[in-house]
Structures are given as structure tokens and as C-alpha cells.
Amino acid sequence: MNNIRLLGTLIKINIQQELAYRADTLINILLSLMWLGWELLSLSIIFSNTATLGGWGPGELIALLGVWRLVNTLMAALIWPNTEKFNTSVRDGSLDYTLLQPASSLFLISFARIVIWRVWDIALAVVLIVVGIGMHGGATTAANLVAFLLLVASGGLIIYSLWIVLMACTFWFVKFDNNVTILQALMDSGRYPATVYPPWLRLIVTFVVPIAVATTVPMQALRGDLRWWQVLLFLGVGLASLLVARLVWRAGVRQYSGASA
Amino acid sequence: MLRIYRRMWQVNWFEQWQYRANLLMYLLYWLVSPIVYLAVWTTVANSQGSVGGLTANDFITYYLTLLIVDNLTSDITIHLLAYKIRDGTLSGELLKPVHPILTNTLMNNLAFKALTLLVLIPVWLGLCLLFRPDFSAVTIPALLLAIPAVVLGFGISFLFGAIITCVAFWTTRVYSLNEFYYALVVLFAGQFVPLDLMPPLIQRIAQYLPFQLLKYFPIQLILGRLPPDAIVRNFALAGLWFVAAVGLFLLVWRSGVKRFSAVGA
């Protein structure tokens, strides 16, 4: 309850900050539309040369693009801005003040900065998913749809947990400014079904940096490619990763001795 | 003058060498999207034999060559300089009797390139083992011809990067402008797919723009896929764009610096 009120306050502060830079917000929205245009054009180029990409049709790739944009929004709205703030606060010691607050430090670190205008990107992503599923046709069952939605949420949780673990590593290796670059670098791989990648790349985007678990896997559930136990397994991994991330974070905070101390 | 460049090279080489751990991360950025596109297009080519006359091997050699050419012709000026213009630390460099962009920044770009290439080459050889490209169409004369093409391509990309960075003299929104410029490169340089597979309208426009000179032209030249008249035309085009970029850069730089000192930042 307390956390929800706190989140409301943090959102209010971030809206106020954003309103100070209205022109930038407008430019950012235009740039995001431009990239959407490019992504759709690149899909149309692919499908003007082939009927399916590794068995996936245009509707499925548009929906996949929507899921990818959701994950990308998670990165751009929360992960990059908060990482930047976190890294600065470790270097100059202001992290101490965050840790002293009477609220969960993990919560404050995750939501201190929220890039509000990205809400627009979420709306676009949802439109892409709905249109994509519509184009894909009536083959979607209710069970597959539920599995899809749950796996999207659990994929987001897995990416979030990996992020927390990477940031917590900073407590042990103080000079670790590149902590999340690896997440960013592999993002592009999520726009296409991981099933078309060579096995070694598929292993990396599934197990090392699980971009595919948050993008390709939910789409596979929607297509009906996954058994029920596989769906449960991925959901379990999502919950387990959140628990592990919390443990690692706590251990890290205990280990942290402050930059000024 | 040569002594200045040698000294600048040493300084910047050591500066970049400090950040060698970060290089591995930058390299990942470089590698991921060409490999993803390679995987996408070889999947399509394998499922139906060829795409628009291009076989799976044509795509593999295209993207593997792209990795090297992209490294050679890309530039990082905006990341080196834009913040210096904004926070005023450029003043110190303006006091020196050498041009800050044409000496220091240029050398820093080259040092970065050399260092990334040191890491890229073994990774690239590893990728060749994985994808087994057939490079038999590459000839020595084509490789020699590609040297001036790559040098011109880097010159053009460096000058355009410098021009965009100089916009920081007027506005702080230079990173948005850079993103827009990058989108034009993605669209017109043949980075997503060899330009021959793009819609005809885009191909026609791309022909005259400088972006294909950074990637598509050198790659196709190396792979021996261009007829002689196309090679001559592209070299002429590269010369024209290079001269135009020099002129535009000098113009923007001179009026920008004047404005910079006028503000007194």
C-alpha cells in the first residue's frame, strides 16, 4: 500500500520534470514513430521476398514487434535512466541517502526515474500486438492467449531481475559502469523469432541475456508451439529470478560500505 | 604538421587503451544486428533457394564484409565532442594552435578504430569458422580499389559526424539530430539488406545520397559485384560528396566557433 502511494509520488515528480522539456518530448515521440515506420518497412521488405520467415507469418512478426517494443519500453522508461542515476550515486556516495530512506531500497532504485512519455510507446506496442494477432487469424485459442499474456509478464520480470543482479554487482566490483550495456547490446535480436538464429546465438539470447525469453517465447505460446509444462517452467523461472534478484540485492547492500565512508 | 599528428595519435591511443574493457561491450553492439540480419536472410534464402538472385552465401559474405567495412568507415565524433561544446570545455582546445576536430578528434577516431579492429579481427575469424563463407569472388585488384573507397567513405562519414556535432553550438538537441541521421544511414546505406532488395524508389534515391558510399559501395566493390561503370560513377560521387562535406564543415565550424565565443561559454 505504502509502495503504491510512493510510486504515485515518484510518477508525479517525473511528470513535472518532463513538462519542463516539452519540445524534447515531442521530438522523442516523433523519433519513436520514425523507428516504427522503419521497422514496419523492414518487415514489408522481408515479406515481399518470402511468404514466411522460418514458419512465421507477417501477422506473427508484427505481434512479435509489439512484444519487443514492450520490452524496449521497459528498458528505455525504467532501466536506462535508473541505471544512470544508480551508477552516479555509487560514484559520488549519494546512494547512502537512498539506503537510509524508510522504504525498500530496491523499490526506490527501480522507480526513482520514469520516462513518462514512453507510455505512448506502450500504447503503440499494444496496438501492434492486437493488429498482429488479428492478421494471424482465428487460430488463437483462449488458453494460448492467456499463456501469452502471462509469459510476457514473466519475461519482463526476468529482464528486470537480471538488471537488478547486474546493478547489485556494482557493490562488489566498484568500477562496473558498463553493468547494463550487455542488455542493451543484444536488444536488437528480439525483433525476429530466435528460432531462425544459429544455435550458439539462440543459446546466448535464451540463457545468458534472455531477450528471447521475453519476446520469442510468449509468441511461441501464442502460436501453440509450447507444451503446458514448458509454459509453467518459464513462469516458474520468472518468479524464481525475482526471488534470486531480491536476495542478491540484499547481500549487495550488506556488502556496500559507502563511497564516503 | 606530421609531428603533431604523431603526438596526437600517441595521446589518443593511450587514452583509448585505458577503456579497453569497454571495447568488448561496444563490439557486441557492432556484431549483433548484422548477425541477426544475416540469420534472417539466410533463413529466407535457404527456404527457397535464393532471394532476388542472392544465395545464402551471398548474404553471408555481404554481412561479414559489412562488419569490417562498418568499423572502418564509422565515426564517433559526436560522443567525443558534443558534450565539450555544451559544457564549454572546448575553450581549452580552441586556444591551441591546431584545429581541434581535424587533429585531436580525427586521431581519437582512428585510435578507437585501430583498437576495435584488434578485437574485431579474431572475433571475425571465429564468425567465419561458424558461417563458412565462400569468399572466392574477392580479387586482389578489388581489395586494392576498396582502399580508396573506404578512405573516402570514412572521410565523408567523419565530416558529416563533425557537422552534426557542430550543431551543438546552436542547440542542445544534437543527439536527436544524430538519431535522425543514423536512421537515414540505416535506410540508405545497405545495412539492413543489400540495397538491391530495397523497394525501387529507395534504391533510386540511395544512388545519389552519400550513405551508400559508407557501406554498400565498398562492400559490393570488395565482393566484385559491381560493373566497371558503377565503380567509376560511385568514385566520382564519393569525390563530390567529400568536397561538399569539407565545404559545409568549414562553414558550420567557422560560424559555430564565432557564436561559441560570443556567448562566452
Side-chain angles (χ1 to χ4, degrees), chain B residues 87-104:
Chain B
D87 68 12
T89 42
L90 185 73
S91 313
E93 288 197 44
L94 283 175
L95 286 173
K96 290 176 193 160
V98 290
H99 196 294
I101 292 190
L102 296 182
T103 54
N104 197 11

PDB file of all heavy atoms in Angstrom, chain B residues 87-104:
ATOM      1  N   ASP B  87      29.362  21.904 -22.369  1.00  0.00           N
ATOM      2  CA  ASP B  87      29.808  22.374 -21.046  1.00  0.00           C
ATOM      3  C   ASP B  87      30.966  23.373 -21.140  1.00  0.00           C
ATOM      4  O   ASP B  87      31.495  23.812 -20.112  1.00  0.00           O
ATOM      5  CB  ASP B  87      30.144  21.202 -20.117  1.00  0.00           C
ATOM      6  CG  ASP B  87      31.375  20.431 -20.562  1.00  0.00           C
ATOM      7  OD1 ASP B  87      32.099  20.923 -21.450  1.00  0.00           O
ATOM      8  OD2 ASP B  87      31.622  19.346 -20.017  1.00  0.00           O
ATOM      9  N   GLY B  88      31.381  23.726 -22.351  1.00  0.00           N
ATOM     10  CA  GLY B  88      32.354  24.804 -22.507  1.00  0.00           C
ATOM     11  C   GLY B  88      33.802  24.375 -22.446  1.00  0.00           C
ATOM     12  O   GLY B  88      34.703  25.194 -22.629  1.00  0.00           O
ATOM     13  N   THR B  89      34.077  23.064 -22.183  1.00  0.00           N
ATOM     14  CA  THR B  89      35.475  22.648 -22.085  1.00  0.00           C
ATOM     15  C   THR B  89      36.192  22.688 -23.435  1.00  0.00           C
ATOM     16  O   THR B  89      37.410  22.526 -23.493  1.00  0.00           O
ATOM     17  CB  THR B  89      35.609  21.217 -21.500  1.00  0.00           C
ATOM     18  OG1 THR B  89      34.602  20.408 -22.092  1.00  0.00           O
ATOM     19  CG2 THR B  89      35.455  21.222 -20.006  1.00  0.00           C
ATOM     20  N   LEU B  90      35.438  22.943 -24.491  1.00  0.00           N
ATOM     21  CA  LEU B  90      36.076  23.070 -25.803  1.00  0.00           C
ATOM     22  C   LEU B  90      37.004  24.285 -25.825  1.00  0.00           C
ATOM     23  O   LEU B  90      37.981  24.310 -26.586  1.00  0.00           O
ATOM     24  CB  LEU B  90      35.010  23.193 -26.898  1.00  0.00           C
ATOM     25  CG  LEU B  90      35.541  23.223 -28.326  1.00  0.00           C
ATOM     26  CD1 LEU B  90      36.009  21.848 -28.745  1.00  0.00           C
ATOM     27  CD2 LEU B  90      34.493  23.706 -29.304  1.00  0.00           C
ATOM     28  N   SER B  91      36.725  25.282 -24.997  1.00  0.00           N
ATOM     29  CA  SER B  91      37.527  26.509 -24.962  1.00  0.00           C
ATOM     30  C   SER B  91      39.018  26.199 -24.883  1.00  0.00           C
ATOM     31  O   SER B  91      39.825  26.782 -25.602  1.00  0.00           O
ATOM     32  CB  SER B  91      37.143  27.363 -23.753  1.00  0.00           C
ATOM     33  OG  SER B  91      35.761  27.468 -23.661  1.00  0.00           O
ATOM     34  N   GLY B  92      39.371  25.260 -23.992  1.00  0.00           N
ATOM     35  CA  GLY B  92      40.769  24.908 -23.813  1.00  0.00           C
ATOM     36  C   GLY B  92      41.404  24.442 -25.110  1.00  0.00           C
ATOM     37  O   GLY B  92      42.534  24.823 -25.440  1.00  0.00           O
ATOM     38  N   GLU B  93      40.652  23.636 -25.888  1.00  0.00           N
ATOM     39  CA  GLU B  93      41.204  23.123 -27.139  1.00  0.00           C
ATOM     40  C   GLU B  93      41.264  24.196 -28.216  1.00  0.00           C
ATOM     41  O   GLU B  93      42.108  24.149 -29.107  1.00  0.00           O
ATOM     42  CB  GLU B  93      40.359  21.945 -27.632  1.00  0.00           C
ATOM     43  CG  GLU B  93      40.564  20.718 -26.772  1.00  0.00           C
ATOM     44  CD  GLU B  93      40.085  19.462 -27.452  1.00  0.00           C
ATOM     45  OE1 GLU B  93      40.364  19.296 -28.652  1.00  0.00           O
ATOM     46  OE2 GLU B  93      39.406  18.656 -26.787  1.00  0.00           O
ATOM     47  N   LEU B  94      40.345  25.173 -28.113  1.00  0.00           N
ATOM     48  CA  LEU B  94      40.333  26.234 -29.122  1.00  0.00           C
ATOM     49  C   LEU B  94      41.564  27.130 -28.978  1.00  0.00           C
ATOM     50  O   LEU B  94      41.993  27.775 -29.933  1.00  0.00           O
ATOM     51  CB  LEU B  94      39.066  27.089 -28.973  1.00  0.00           C
ATOM     52  CG  LEU B  94      37.792  26.453 -29.512  1.00  0.00           C
ATOM     53  CD1 LEU B  94      36.591  27.327 -29.215  1.00  0.00           C
ATOM     54  CD2 LEU B  94      37.905  26.234 -31.018  1.00  0.00           C
ATOM     55  N   LEU B  95      42.133  27.169 -27.767  1.00  0.00           N
ATOM     56  CA  LEU B  95      43.298  28.016 -27.526  1.00  0.00           C
ATOM     57  C   LEU B  95      44.543  27.455 -28.191  1.00  0.00           C
ATOM     58  O   LEU B  95      45.490  28.175 -28.462  1.00  0.00           O
ATOM     59  CB  LEU B  95      43.538  28.151 -26.019  1.00  0.00           C
ATOM     60  CG  LEU B  95      42.545  29.061 -25.290  1.00  0.00           C
ATOM     61  CD1 LEU B  95      42.779  28.993 -23.795  1.00  0.00           C
ATOM     62  CD2 LEU B  95      42.664  30.485 -25.804  1.00  0.00           C
ATOM     63  N   LYS B  96      44.538  26.126 -28.426  1.00  0.00           N
ATOM     64  CA  LYS B  96      45.732  25.514 -29.024  1.00  0.00           C
ATOM     65  C   LYS B  96      45.833  25.906 -30.498  1.00  0.00           C
ATOM     66  O   LYS B  96      44.806  26.126 -31.153  1.00  0.00           O
ATOM     67  CB  LYS B  96      45.653  23.993 -28.892  1.00  0.00           C
ATOM     68  CG  LYS B  96      45.818  23.539 -27.456  1.00  0.00           C
ATOM     69  CD  LYS B  96      45.634  22.044 -27.366  1.00  0.00           C
ATOM     70  CE  LYS B  96      45.469  21.611 -25.907  1.00  0.00           C
ATOM     71  NZ  LYS B  96      44.828  20.305 -25.795  1.00  0.00           N
ATOM     72  N   PRO B  97      47.071  25.951 -31.014  1.00  0.00           N
ATOM     73  CA  PRO B  97      47.249  26.419 -32.388  1.00  0.00           C
ATOM     74  C   PRO B  97      46.932  25.361 -33.439  1.00  0.00           C
ATOM     75  O   PRO B  97      47.334  25.498 -34.581  1.00  0.00           O
ATOM     76  CB  PRO B  97      48.732  26.804 -32.422  1.00  0.00           C
ATOM     77  CG  PRO B  97      49.363  25.931 -31.399  1.00  0.00           C
ATOM     78  CD  PRO B  97      48.345  25.695 -30.336  1.00  0.00           C
ATOM     79  N   VAL B  98      46.242  24.279 -33.079  1.00  0.00           N
ATOM     80  CA  VAL B  98      45.844  23.297 -34.092  1.00  0.00           C
ATOM     81  C   VAL B  98      44.324  23.145 -34.050  1.00  0.00           C
ATOM     82  O   VAL B  98      43.688  23.386 -33.028  1.00  0.00           O
ATOM     83  CB  VAL B  98      46.504  21.918 -33.854  1.00  0.00           C
ATOM     84  CG1 VAL B  98      47.982  21.989 -34.151  1.00  0.00           C
ATOM     85  CG2 VAL B  98      46.250  21.435 -32.443  1.00  0.00           C
ATOM     86  N   HIS B  99      43.765  22.707 -35.166  1.00  0.00           N
ATOM     87  CA  HIS B  99      42.314  22.558 -35.278  1.00  0.00           C
ATOM     88  C   HIS B  99      41.843  21.400 -34.394  1.00  0.00           C
ATOM     89  O   HIS B  99      42.299  20.267 -34.573  1.00  0.00           O
ATOM     90  CB  HIS B  99      41.968  22.282 -36.741  1.00  0.00           C
ATOM     91  CG  HIS B  99      40.516  22.498 -37.051  1.00  0.00           C
ATOM     92  ND1 HIS B  99      39.547  21.712 -36.507  1.00  0.00           N
ATOM     93  CD2 HIS B  99      39.900  23.404 -37.825  1.00  0.00           C
ATOM     94  CE1 HIS B  99      38.366  22.126 -36.959  1.00  0.00           C
ATOM     95  NE2 HIS B  99      38.569  23.167 -37.755  1.00  0.00           N
ATOM     96  N   PRO B 100      40.936  21.627 -33.444  1.00  0.00           N
ATOM     97  CA  PRO B 100      40.559  20.561 -32.516  1.00  0.00           C
ATOM     98  C   PRO B 100      39.926  19.357 -33.201  1.00  0.00           C
ATOM     99  O   PRO B 100      40.161  18.221 -32.785  1.00  0.00           O
ATOM    100  CB  PRO B 100      39.561  21.219 -31.570  1.00  0.00           C
ATOM    101  CG  PRO B 100      39.414  22.615 -31.984  1.00  0.00           C
ATOM    102  CD  PRO B 100      40.286  22.897 -33.157  1.00  0.00           C
ATOM    103  N   ILE B 101      39.138  19.580 -34.238  1.00  0.00           N
ATOM    104  CA  ILE B 101      38.460  18.445 -34.868  1.00  0.00           C
ATOM    105  C   ILE B 101      39.379  17.730 -35.852  1.00  0.00           C
ATOM    106  O   ILE B 101      39.488  16.509 -35.851  1.00  0.00           O
ATOM    107  CB  ILE B 101      37.158  18.899 -35.557  1.00  0.00           C
ATOM    108  CG1 ILE B 101      36.158  19.337 -34.480  1.00  0.00           C
ATOM    109  CG2 ILE B 101      36.581  17.779 -36.398  1.00  0.00           C
ATOM    110  CD1 ILE B 101      34.773  19.576 -34.993  1.00  0.00           C
ATOM    111  N   LEU B 102      40.082  18.519 -36.672  1.00  0.00           N
ATOM    112  CA  LEU B 102      40.876  17.903 -37.740  1.00  0.00           C
ATOM    113  C   LEU B 102      42.159  17.260 -37.222  1.00  0.00           C
ATOM    114  O   LEU B 102      42.816  16.517 -37.942  1.00  0.00           O
ATOM    115  CB  LEU B 102      41.196  18.922 -38.831  1.00  0.00           C
ATOM    116  CG  LEU B 102      39.945  19.450 -39.551  1.00  0.00           C
ATOM    117  CD1 LEU B 102      40.318  20.419 -40.651  1.00  0.00           C
ATOM    118  CD2 LEU B 102      39.110  18.308 -40.123  1.00  0.00           C
ATOM    119  N   THR B 103      42.560  17.529 -35.973  1.00  0.00           N
ATOM    120  CA  THR B 103      43.734  16.823 -35.441  1.00  0.00           C
ATOM    121  C   THR B 103      43.307  15.885 -34.315  1.00  0.00           C
ATOM    122  O   THR B 103      43.234  14.679 -34.501  1.00  0.00           O
ATOM    123  CB  THR B 103      44.782  17.813 -34.889  1.00  0.00           C
ATOM    124  OG1 THR B 103      44.140  18.657 -33.934  1.00  0.00           O
ATOM    125  CG2 THR B 103      45.358  18.649 -35.987  1.00  0.00           C
ATOM    126  N   ASN B 104      42.970  16.460 -33.167  1.00  0.00           N
ATOM    127  CA  ASN B 104      42.738  15.641 -31.984  1.00  0.00           C
ATOM    128  C   ASN B 104      41.589  14.651 -32.175  1.00  0.00           C
ATOM    129  O   ASN B 104      41.733  13.441 -31.964  1.00  0.00           O
ATOM    130  CB  ASN B 104      42.455  16.573 -30.800  1.00  0.00           C
ATOM    131  CG  ASN B 104      42.614  15.856 -29.480  1.00  0.00           C
ATOM    132  OD1 ASN B 104      43.126  14.739 -29.447  1.00  0.00           O
ATOM    133  ND2 ASN B 104      42.181  16.474 -28.407  1.00  0.00           N
TER     134      ASN B 104
END
